[in-house]
Amino acid sequence: MAHQQNGPFPQSLPKAFSVLIFIILLKDVCNGQPQLIGPSQVLVARAGDDVILPCHVEPAYDVSTITLEWTRSSLDPRFVYVSRGSQELEKLKNPSFKGRTSVFVDELKYGNISLKISKVKSDDTGTYKCYVPVLEKEAFVELVVASDAATSPVISLSHCNP
């Protein structure tokens, strides 16, 4: 019995083509191309506390000499932190974050781009983007800042008359 073909290609070719596309899409993961990793859950901080927004390159990749950006799209200017070649560019930073953001400079050579925000305010609530332009990689971190009243339990005693 002869095998019938529809057109010039065997029927198994579209399946093989799909598998090939899948392999091509996964190649970044398989050949060790750096990926930017952020937290999978929302971060919650209390107003007045310091918070660290986690972000790192995996596998470890030295980012100490390249441009790094932390932004929040709802801000104008949108930059919360930006550095080029280990030099922070304060003039590009949103004024509400001046003097309150930093990265762990000694950790940059290991791919740690985590951002520390000091003395968080309720206005700091939002979605932050960790971005490495040269790698064309980004990760998102959602931060919720709660007031002390919202995070501290209120206990009261009431007097009951018999």
Side-chain angles (χ1 to χ4, degrees), residues 143-157:
L143 174 65
V144 173
V145 180
S147 68
D148 282 337
T151 57
S152 301
V154 176
I155 300 172
S156 63
L157 298 174

Side-chain angles (χ1 to χ4, degrees), residues 111-123:
N112 183 0
I113 312 168
S114 298
L115 181 74
K116 179 179 178 182
I117 303 176
S118 301
K119 297 179 179 79
V120 294
K121 307 182 248 182
S122 59
D123 289 350

Side-chain angles (χ1 to χ4, degrees), residues 71-80 94 96-97 123-129 143:
T71 60
R72 204 172 93 206
S73 62
S74 61
L75 298 174
D76 185 23
R78 71 182 204 276
F79 291 105
V80 173
N94 187 289
S96 69
F97 287 93
D123 289 350
D124 294 341
T125 293
T127 301
Y128 293 77
K129 180 170 82 170
L143 174 65

Side-chain angles (χ1 to χ4, degrees), residues 11 36 53 67 81-83 88 99 101 130 141:
Q11 288 184 342
L36 216 46
L53 307 185
T67 299
Y81 178 90
V82 61
S83 68
E88 184 178 1
T101 58
C130 172
V141 181

Side-chain angles (χ1 to χ4, degrees), residues 124-138:
D124 294 341
T125 293
T127 301
Y128 293 77
K129 180 170 82 170
C130 172
Y131 181 60
V132 180
V134 72
L135 299 177
E136 296 181 352
K137 303 290 181 187
E138 61 188 21

Side-chain angles (χ1 to χ4, degrees), residues 7-152:
F9 301 109
Q11 288 184 342
S12 63
L13 190 59
K15 183 176 179 183
F17 185 69
S18 296
V19 171
L20 180 62
I21 293 297
F22 181 73
I23 290 169
I24 290 170
L25 291 174
L26 287 179
K27 77 175 177 59
D28 280 355
V29 175
C30 296
N31 71 8
Q33 289 295 317
Q35 300 296 314
L36 216 46
I37 310 295
S40 57
Q41 298 178 345
V42 173
L43 298 179
V44 179
R46 274 192 327 205
D49 286 352
D50 295 353
V51 68
I52 295 172
L53 307 185
C55 184
H56 68 277
V57 180
E58 210 171 87
Y61 182 89
D62 185 353
V63 294
S64 62
T65 60
I66 60 177
T67 299
L68 307 173
E69 299 176 358
W70 275 94
T71 60
R72 204 172 93 206
S73 62
S74 61
L75 298 174
D76 185 23
R78 71 182 204 276
F79 291 105
V80 173
Y81 178 90
V82 61
S83 68
R84 291 201 178 103
S86 295
Q87 290 292 340
E88 184 178 1
L89 304 176
E90 281 277 335
K91 65 181 184 277
L92 298 177
K93 187 186 285 191
N94 187 289
S96 69
F97 287 93
K98 289 206 181 204
R100 296 195 306 124
T101 58
S102 60
V103 295
F104 301 91
V105 178
D106 293 341
E107 294 288 317
L108 293 175
K109 61 185 166 205
Y110 306 113
N112 183 0
I113 312 168
S114 298
L115 181 74
K116 179 179 178 182
I117 303 176
S118 301
K119 297 179 179 79
V120 294
K121 307 182 248 182
S122 59
D123 289 350
D124 294 341
T125 293
T127 301
Y128 293 77
K129 180 170 82 170
C130 172
Y131 181 60
V132 180
V134 72
L135 299 177
E136 296 181 352
K137 303 290 181 187
E138 61 188 21
F140 294 90
V141 181
E142 187 173 346
L143 174 65
V144 173
V145 180
S147 68
D148 282 337
T151 57
S152 301

